[in-house]
Amino acid sequence: MIERKGVDIASQACEAAGVKLIMAGSGSYIPSYGTYIGEISGLEKSRLISGATAMFAPTIYQEPFCNSHIEALASGTPVISTDLGIFTETIKNGFNGYRCNTLAEFVQATEDVKKLKPREIATDAFEKYSTNMIRYKYERYFNRLLSLWDKGWYSL
């Protein structure tokens, strides 16, 4: 719960759209609109995410990765994010959420996410981000690192 995570954007958009906002996490920056429930984990976190209409991830800096939005996608919950950082690679407008640049876009997204298909969102997330899929990417990456020594590029 810090400003650079875009909590003000989520608060303002939900208030303008007239929708409920539940905020969870560590930190002390709590905007005026919405209900803050503190830090949660495990089953409580899973229930909150999977029961949500959408998850807001309106980070206002170049987020290199965001585990919480992947958790949402794996639960079939669409993500409403800024059009920055990792979200440009993981959120496909109209499929698994919406990337937004203005308050009007965020407000519209709170309605548009209701048309998205949770099962398709979850299936796509598991195909891309499950441990079973990611392990091969990590293996290729670490093998590539090993080739940096000795002959590097010229290793056959």
PDB file of all heavy atoms in Angstrom, residues 67-97:
ATOM      1  N   ASN A  67       3.865 -10.447  -9.307  1.00  0.00           N
ATOM      2  CA  ASN A  67       3.319 -11.778  -9.034  1.00  0.00           C
ATOM      3  C   ASN A  67       1.824 -11.760  -8.769  1.00  0.00           C
ATOM      4  O   ASN A  67       1.116 -12.686  -9.162  1.00  0.00           O
ATOM      5  CB  ASN A  67       4.036 -12.410  -7.840  1.00  0.00           C
ATOM      6  CG  ASN A  67       5.432 -12.849  -8.175  1.00  0.00           C
ATOM      7  OD1 ASN A  67       5.706 -13.280  -9.282  1.00  0.00           O
ATOM      8  ND2 ASN A  67       6.325 -12.723  -7.227  1.00  0.00           N
ATOM      9  N   SER A  68       1.333 -10.725  -8.111  1.00  0.00           N
ATOM     10  CA  SER A  68      -0.082 -10.718  -7.731  1.00  0.00           C
ATOM     11  C   SER A  68      -1.001 -10.727  -8.956  1.00  0.00           C
ATOM     12  O   SER A  68      -2.056 -11.360  -8.935  1.00  0.00           O
ATOM     13  CB  SER A  68      -0.405  -9.542  -6.822  1.00  0.00           C
ATOM     14  OG  SER A  68      -0.151  -8.320  -7.459  1.00  0.00           O
ATOM     15  N   HIS A  69      -0.614 -10.065 -10.020  1.00  0.00           N
ATOM     16  CA  HIS A  69      -1.505 -10.081 -11.179  1.00  0.00           C
ATOM     17  C   HIS A  69      -1.478 -11.446 -11.876  1.00  0.00           C
ATOM     18  O   HIS A  69      -2.490 -11.875 -12.432  1.00  0.00           O
ATOM     19  CB  HIS A  69      -1.234  -8.907 -12.127  1.00  0.00           C
ATOM     20  CG  HIS A  69      -0.237  -9.120 -13.205  1.00  0.00           C
ATOM     21  ND1 HIS A  69       1.113  -9.245 -12.971  1.00  0.00           N
ATOM     22  CD2 HIS A  69      -0.396  -9.210 -14.546  1.00  0.00           C
ATOM     23  CE1 HIS A  69       1.734  -9.408 -14.130  1.00  0.00           C
ATOM     24  NE2 HIS A  69       0.841  -9.386 -15.093  1.00  0.00           N
ATOM     25  N   ILE A  70      -0.380 -12.159 -11.803  1.00  0.00           N
ATOM     26  CA  ILE A  70      -0.333 -13.520 -12.351  1.00  0.00           C
ATOM     27  C   ILE A  70      -1.215 -14.442 -11.511  1.00  0.00           C
ATOM     28  O   ILE A  70      -1.923 -15.305 -12.046  1.00  0.00           O
ATOM     29  CB  ILE A  70       1.119 -14.037 -12.418  1.00  0.00           C
ATOM     30  CG1 ILE A  70       1.973 -13.155 -13.339  1.00  0.00           C
ATOM     31  CG2 ILE A  70       1.147 -15.502 -12.865  1.00  0.00           C
ATOM     32  CD1 ILE A  70       1.517 -13.079 -14.787  1.00  0.00           C
ATOM     33  N   GLU A  71      -1.214 -14.243 -10.190  1.00  0.00           N
ATOM     34  CA  GLU A  71      -2.108 -15.014  -9.312  1.00  0.00           C
ATOM     35  C   GLU A  71      -3.564 -14.769  -9.685  1.00  0.00           C
ATOM     36  O   GLU A  71      -4.373 -15.700  -9.716  1.00  0.00           O
ATOM     37  CB  GLU A  71      -1.884 -14.638  -7.852  1.00  0.00           C
ATOM     38  CG  GLU A  71      -0.553 -15.077  -7.296  1.00  0.00           C
ATOM     39  CD  GLU A  71      -0.278 -14.537  -5.909  1.00  0.00           C
ATOM     40  OE1 GLU A  71      -0.587 -13.348  -5.637  1.00  0.00           O
ATOM     41  OE2 GLU A  71       0.250 -15.307  -5.088  1.00  0.00           O
ATOM     42  N   ALA A  72      -3.893 -13.523  -9.970  1.00  0.00           N
ATOM     43  CA  ALA A  72      -5.258 -13.203 -10.377  1.00  0.00           C
ATOM     44  C   ALA A  72      -5.612 -13.907 -11.681  1.00  0.00           C
ATOM     45  O   ALA A  72      -6.666 -14.543 -11.782  1.00  0.00           O
ATOM     46  CB  ALA A  72      -5.432 -11.690 -10.524  1.00  0.00           C
ATOM     47  N   LEU A  73      -4.740 -13.803 -12.664  1.00  0.00           N
ATOM     48  CA  LEU A  73      -5.010 -14.442 -13.957  1.00  0.00           C
ATOM     49  C   LEU A  73      -5.174 -15.956 -13.794  1.00  0.00           C
ATOM     50  O   LEU A  73      -6.059 -16.556 -14.402  1.00  0.00           O
ATOM     51  CB  LEU A  73      -3.891 -14.126 -14.946  1.00  0.00           C
ATOM     52  CG  LEU A  73      -3.731 -12.649 -15.331  1.00  0.00           C
ATOM     53  CD1 LEU A  73      -2.498 -12.458 -16.217  1.00  0.00           C
ATOM     54  CD2 LEU A  73      -4.986 -12.101 -15.994  1.00  0.00           C
ATOM     55  N   ALA A  74      -4.329 -16.564 -12.976  1.00  0.00           N
ATOM     56  CA  ALA A  74      -4.421 -18.014 -12.748  1.00  0.00           C
ATOM     57  C   ALA A  74      -5.733 -18.391 -12.075  1.00  0.00           C
ATOM     58  O   ALA A  74      -6.205 -19.524 -12.217  1.00  0.00           O
ATOM     59  CB  ALA A  74      -3.234 -18.490 -11.913  1.00  0.00           C
ATOM     60  N   SER A  75      -6.328 -17.435 -11.372  1.00  0.00           N
ATOM     61  CA  SER A  75      -7.631 -17.658 -10.738  1.00  0.00           C
ATOM     62  C   SER A  75      -8.785 -17.371 -11.695  1.00  0.00           C
ATOM     63  O   SER A  75      -9.946 -17.527 -11.330  1.00  0.00           O
ATOM     64  CB  SER A  75      -7.781 -16.749  -9.509  1.00  0.00           C
ATOM     65  OG  SER A  75      -6.820 -17.068  -8.544  1.00  0.00           O
ATOM     66  N   GLY A  76      -8.458 -16.894 -12.890  1.00  0.00           N
ATOM     67  CA  GLY A  76      -9.496 -16.536 -13.854  1.00  0.00           C
ATOM     68  C   GLY A  76     -10.021 -15.127 -13.655  1.00  0.00           C
ATOM     69  O   GLY A  76     -11.011 -14.738 -14.262  1.00  0.00           O
ATOM     70  N   THR A  77      -9.349 -14.359 -12.811  1.00  0.00           N
ATOM     71  CA  THR A  77      -9.773 -12.989 -12.525  1.00  0.00           C
ATOM     72  C   THR A  77      -9.046 -12.020 -13.447  1.00  0.00           C
ATOM     73  O   THR A  77      -7.821 -11.991 -13.470  1.00  0.00           O
ATOM     74  CB  THR A  77      -9.467 -12.641 -11.049  1.00  0.00           C
ATOM     75  OG1 THR A  77     -10.158 -13.578 -10.219  1.00  0.00           O
ATOM     76  CG2 THR A  77      -9.903 -11.230 -10.717  1.00  0.00           C
ATOM     77  N   PRO A  78      -9.789 -11.234 -14.226  1.00  0.00           N
ATOM     78  CA  PRO A  78      -9.146 -10.269 -15.119  1.00  0.00           C
ATOM     79  C   PRO A  78      -8.407  -9.185 -14.338  1.00  0.00           C
ATOM     80  O   PRO A  78      -8.715  -8.923 -13.172  1.00  0.00           O
ATOM     81  CB  PRO A  78     -10.302  -9.667 -15.913  1.00  0.00           C
ATOM     82  CG  PRO A  78     -11.554 -10.222 -15.370  1.00  0.00           C
ATOM     83  CD  PRO A  78     -11.239 -11.194 -14.306  1.00  0.00           C
ATOM     84  N   VAL A  79      -7.451  -8.555 -15.001  1.00  0.00           N
ATOM     85  CA  VAL A  79      -6.622  -7.519 -14.377  1.00  0.00           C
ATOM     86  C   VAL A  79      -6.830  -6.201 -15.097  1.00  0.00           C
ATOM     87  O   VAL A  79      -6.824  -6.139 -16.327  1.00  0.00           O
ATOM     88  CB  VAL A  79      -5.132  -7.924 -14.410  1.00  0.00           C
ATOM     89  CG1 VAL A  79      -4.254  -6.802 -13.893  1.00  0.00           C
ATOM     90  CG2 VAL A  79      -4.919  -9.205 -13.598  1.00  0.00           C
ATOM     91  N   ILE A  80      -6.992  -5.147 -14.306  1.00  0.00           N
ATOM     92  CA  ILE A  80      -7.072  -3.784 -14.822  1.00  0.00           C
ATOM     93  C   ILE A  80      -5.779  -3.105 -14.385  1.00  0.00           C
ATOM     94  O   ILE A  80      -5.521  -2.969 -13.192  1.00  0.00           O
ATOM     95  CB  ILE A  80      -8.301  -3.036 -14.265  1.00  0.00           C
ATOM     96  CG1 ILE A  80      -9.587  -3.765 -14.659  1.00  0.00           C
ATOM     97  CG2 ILE A  80      -8.308  -1.592 -14.755  1.00  0.00           C
ATOM     98  CD1 ILE A  80     -10.840  -3.218 -13.982  1.00  0.00           C
ATOM     99  N   SER A  81      -4.968  -2.726 -15.361  1.00  0.00           N
ATOM    100  CA  SER A  81      -3.630  -2.203 -15.039  1.00  0.00           C
ATOM    101  C   SER A  81      -3.334  -0.930 -15.819  1.00  0.00           C
ATOM    102  O   SER A  81      -4.092  -0.529 -16.697  1.00  0.00           O
ATOM    103  CB  SER A  81      -2.570  -3.253 -15.381  1.00  0.00           C
ATOM    104  OG  SER A  81      -2.430  -3.368 -16.783  1.00  0.00           O
ATOM    105  N   THR A  82      -2.202  -0.358 -15.488  1.00  0.00           N
ATOM    106  CA  THR A  82      -1.675   0.718 -16.307  1.00  0.00           C
ATOM    107  C   THR A  82      -1.043   0.093 -17.546  1.00  0.00           C
ATOM    108  O   THR A  82      -0.865  -1.117 -17.630  1.00  0.00           O
ATOM    109  CB  THR A  82      -0.613   1.519 -15.517  1.00  0.00           C
ATOM    110  OG1 THR A  82       0.233   0.606 -14.830  1.00  0.00           O
ATOM    111  CG2 THR A  82      -1.247   2.470 -14.534  1.00  0.00           C
ATOM    112  N   ASP A  83      -0.704   0.926 -18.491  1.00  0.00           N
ATOM    113  CA  ASP A  83      -0.112   0.459 -19.750  1.00  0.00           C
ATOM    114  C   ASP A  83       1.410   0.623 -19.675  1.00  0.00           C
ATOM    115  O   ASP A  83       2.022   1.263 -20.518  1.00  0.00           O
ATOM    116  CB  ASP A  83      -0.701   1.264 -20.909  1.00  0.00           C
ATOM    117  CG  ASP A  83      -0.454   0.619 -22.255  1.00  0.00           C
ATOM    118  OD1 ASP A  83      -0.076  -0.566 -22.299  1.00  0.00           O
ATOM    119  OD2 ASP A  83      -0.641   1.302 -23.277  1.00  0.00           O
ATOM    120  N   LEU A  84       2.006   0.058 -18.622  1.00  0.00           N
ATOM    121  CA  LEU A  84       3.432   0.213 -18.347  1.00  0.00           C
ATOM    122  C   LEU A  84       4.062  -1.128 -17.980  1.00  0.00           C
ATOM    123  O   LEU A  84       3.378  -2.037 -17.537  1.00  0.00           O
ATOM    124  CB  LEU A  84       3.651   1.155 -17.153  1.00  0.00           C
ATOM    125  CG  LEU A  84       3.129   2.569 -17.234  1.00  0.00           C
ATOM    126  CD1 LEU A  84       3.170   3.225 -15.854  1.00  0.00           C
ATOM    127  CD2 LEU A  84       3.951   3.370 -18.219  1.00  0.00           C
ATOM    128  N   GLY A  85       5.372  -1.193 -18.124  1.00  0.00           N
ATOM    129  CA  GLY A  85       6.150  -2.318 -17.616  1.00  0.00           C
ATOM    130  C   GLY A  85       5.646  -3.681 -18.055  1.00  0.00           C
ATOM    131  O   GLY A  85       5.241  -3.876 -19.203  1.00  0.00           O
ATOM    132  N   ILE A  86       5.628  -4.602 -17.115  1.00  0.00           N
ATOM    133  CA  ILE A  86       5.285  -5.996 -17.410  1.00  0.00           C
ATOM    134  C   ILE A  86       3.876  -6.145 -17.970  1.00  0.00           C
ATOM    135  O   ILE A  86       3.597  -7.071 -18.725  1.00  0.00           O
ATOM    136  CB  ILE A  86       5.468  -6.880 -16.151  1.00  0.00           C
ATOM    137  CG1 ILE A  86       5.346  -8.373 -16.497  1.00  0.00           C
ATOM    138  CG2 ILE A  86       4.465  -6.505 -15.068  1.00  0.00           C
ATOM    139  CD1 ILE A  86       6.375  -8.882 -17.468  1.00  0.00           C
ATOM    140  N   PHE A  87       2.989  -5.219 -17.636  1.00  0.00           N
ATOM    141  CA  PHE A  87       1.606  -5.355 -18.074  1.00  0.00           C
ATOM    142  C   PHE A  87       1.467  -5.289 -19.591  1.00  0.00           C
ATOM    143  O   PHE A  87       0.544  -5.868 -20.150  1.00  0.00           O
ATOM    144  CB  PHE A  87       0.727  -4.302 -17.391  1.00  0.00           C
ATOM    145  CG  PHE A  87       0.858  -4.325 -15.894  1.00  0.00           C
ATOM    146  CD1 PHE A  87       1.337  -3.228 -15.215  1.00  0.00           C
ATOM    147  CD2 PHE A  87       0.534  -5.469 -15.175  1.00  0.00           C
ATOM    148  CE1 PHE A  87       1.469  -3.244 -13.841  1.00  0.00           C
ATOM    149  CE2 PHE A  87       0.676  -5.508 -13.792  1.00  0.00           C
ATOM    150  CZ  PHE A  87       1.147  -4.390 -13.118  1.00  0.00           C
ATOM    151  N   THR A  88       2.387  -4.609 -20.261  1.00  0.00           N
ATOM    152  CA  THR A  88       2.326  -4.550 -21.720  1.00  0.00           C
ATOM    153  C   THR A  88       2.594  -5.933 -22.325  1.00  0.00           C
ATOM    154  O   THR A  88       2.213  -6.191 -23.459  1.00  0.00           O
ATOM    155  CB  THR A  88       3.330  -3.534 -22.298  1.00  0.00           C
ATOM    156  OG1 THR A  88       4.657  -3.941 -21.962  1.00  0.00           O
ATOM    157  CG2 THR A  88       3.062  -2.135 -21.777  1.00  0.00           C
ATOM    158  N   GLU A  89       3.236  -6.798 -21.572  1.00  0.00           N
ATOM    159  CA  GLU A  89       3.532  -8.151 -22.047  1.00  0.00           C
ATOM    160  C   GLU A  89       2.523  -9.192 -21.571  1.00  0.00           C
ATOM    161  O   GLU A  89       2.393 -10.244 -22.181  1.00  0.00           O
ATOM    162  CB  GLU A  89       4.923  -8.573 -21.573  1.00  0.00           C
ATOM    163  CG  GLU A  89       6.038  -7.717 -22.125  1.00  0.00           C
ATOM    164  CD  GLU A  89       7.394  -8.145 -21.604  1.00  0.00           C
ATOM    165  OE1 GLU A  89       7.624  -9.359 -21.448  1.00  0.00           O
ATOM    166  OE2 GLU A  89       8.229  -7.259 -21.334  1.00  0.00           O
ATOM    167  N   THR A  90       1.843  -8.924 -20.471  1.00  0.00           N
ATOM    168  CA  THR A  90       1.001  -9.957 -19.873  1.00  0.00           C
ATOM    169  C   THR A  90      -0.501  -9.702 -19.971  1.00  0.00           C
ATOM    170  O   THR A  90      -1.280 -10.640 -19.881  1.00  0.00           O
ATOM    171  CB  THR A  90       1.363 -10.150 -18.384  1.00  0.00           C
ATOM    172  OG1 THR A  90       1.241  -8.892 -17.710  1.00  0.00           O
ATOM    173  CG2 THR A  90       2.779 -10.683 -18.226  1.00  0.00           C
ATOM    174  N   ILE A  91      -0.900  -8.461 -20.139  1.00  0.00           N
ATOM    175  CA  ILE A  91      -2.328  -8.144 -20.209  1.00  0.00           C
ATOM    176  C   ILE A  91      -2.708  -7.820 -21.652  1.00  0.00           C
ATOM    177  O   ILE A  91      -2.190  -6.889 -22.252  1.00  0.00           O
ATOM    178  CB  ILE A  91      -2.698  -6.943 -19.301  1.00  0.00           C
ATOM    179  CG1 ILE A  91      -2.291  -7.206 -17.862  1.00  0.00           C
ATOM    180  CG2 ILE A  91      -4.195  -6.631 -19.402  1.00  0.00           C
ATOM    181  CD1 ILE A  91      -2.893  -8.446 -17.235  1.00  0.00           C
ATOM    182  N   LYS A  92      -3.592  -8.637 -22.193  1.00  0.00           N
ATOM    183  CA  LYS A  92      -4.080  -8.437 -23.558  1.00  0.00           C
ATOM    184  C   LYS A  92      -5.492  -7.837 -23.458  1.00  0.00           C
ATOM    185  O   LYS A  92      -6.417  -8.496 -22.973  1.00  0.00           O
ATOM    186  CB  LYS A  92      -4.114  -9.761 -24.309  1.00  0.00           C
ATOM    187  CG  LYS A  92      -4.538  -9.630 -25.741  1.00  0.00           C
ATOM    188  CD  LYS A  92      -4.483 -10.959 -26.467  1.00  0.00           C
ATOM    189  CE  LYS A  92      -4.985 -10.792 -27.898  1.00  0.00           C
ATOM    190  NZ  LYS A  92      -5.145 -12.080 -28.559  1.00  0.00           N
ATOM    191  N   ASN A  93      -5.598  -6.575 -23.891  1.00  0.00           N
ATOM    192  CA  ASN A  93      -6.876  -5.872 -23.803  1.00  0.00           C
ATOM    193  C   ASN A  93      -8.015  -6.687 -24.411  1.00  0.00           C
ATOM    194  O   ASN A  93      -7.925  -7.168 -25.535  1.00  0.00           O
ATOM    195  CB  ASN A  93      -6.799  -4.518 -24.518  1.00  0.00           C
ATOM    196  CG  ASN A  93      -6.066  -3.485 -23.710  1.00  0.00           C
ATOM    197  OD1 ASN A  93      -6.094  -3.501 -22.479  1.00  0.00           O
ATOM    198  ND2 ASN A  93      -5.395  -2.570 -24.385  1.00  0.00           N
ATOM    199  N   GLY A  94      -9.082  -6.836 -23.625  1.00  0.00           N
ATOM    200  CA  GLY A  94     -10.258  -7.539 -24.105  1.00  0.00           C
ATOM    201  C   GLY A  94     -10.177  -9.042 -23.974  1.00  0.00           C
ATOM    202  O   GLY A  94     -11.150  -9.737 -24.282  1.00  0.00           O
ATOM    203  N   PHE A  95      -9.059  -9.586 -23.520  1.00  0.00           N
ATOM    204  CA  PHE A  95      -8.944 -11.031 -23.325  1.00  0.00           C
ATOM    205  C   PHE A  95      -8.807 -11.380 -21.844  1.00  0.00           C
ATOM    206  O   PHE A  95      -9.602 -12.123 -21.296  1.00  0.00           O
ATOM    207  CB  PHE A  95      -7.769 -11.619 -24.110  1.00  0.00           C
ATOM    208  CG  PHE A  95      -7.546 -13.071 -23.796  1.00  0.00           C
ATOM    209  CD1 PHE A  95      -8.448 -14.031 -24.224  1.00  0.00           C
ATOM    210  CD2 PHE A  95      -6.461 -13.476 -23.030  1.00  0.00           C
ATOM    211  CE1 PHE A  95      -8.274 -15.373 -23.899  1.00  0.00           C
ATOM    212  CE2 PHE A  95      -6.272 -14.809 -22.707  1.00  0.00           C
ATOM    213  CZ  PHE A  95      -7.181 -15.757 -23.137  1.00  0.00           C
ATOM    214  N   ASN A  96      -7.751 -10.843 -21.202  1.00  0.00           N
ATOM    215  CA  ASN A  96      -7.537 -11.170 -19.788  1.00  0.00           C
ATOM    216  C   ASN A  96      -7.528  -9.919 -18.905  1.00  0.00           C
ATOM    217  O   ASN A  96      -7.118  -9.980 -17.753  1.00  0.00           O
ATOM    218  CB  ASN A  96      -6.264 -11.989 -19.593  1.00  0.00           C
ATOM    219  CG  ASN A  96      -5.014 -11.273 -20.038  1.00  0.00           C
ATOM    220  OD1 ASN A  96      -5.055 -10.152 -20.526  1.00  0.00           O
ATOM    221  ND2 ASN A  96      -3.874 -11.929 -19.884  1.00  0.00           N
ATOM    222  N   GLY A  97      -7.961  -8.814 -19.466  1.00  0.00           N
ATOM    223  CA  GLY A  97      -8.025  -7.576 -18.705  1.00  0.00           C
ATOM    224  C   GLY A  97      -7.916  -6.376 -19.611  1.00  0.00           C
ATOM    225  O   GLY A  97      -8.130  -6.482 -20.829  1.00  0.00           O
TER     226      GLY A  97
END
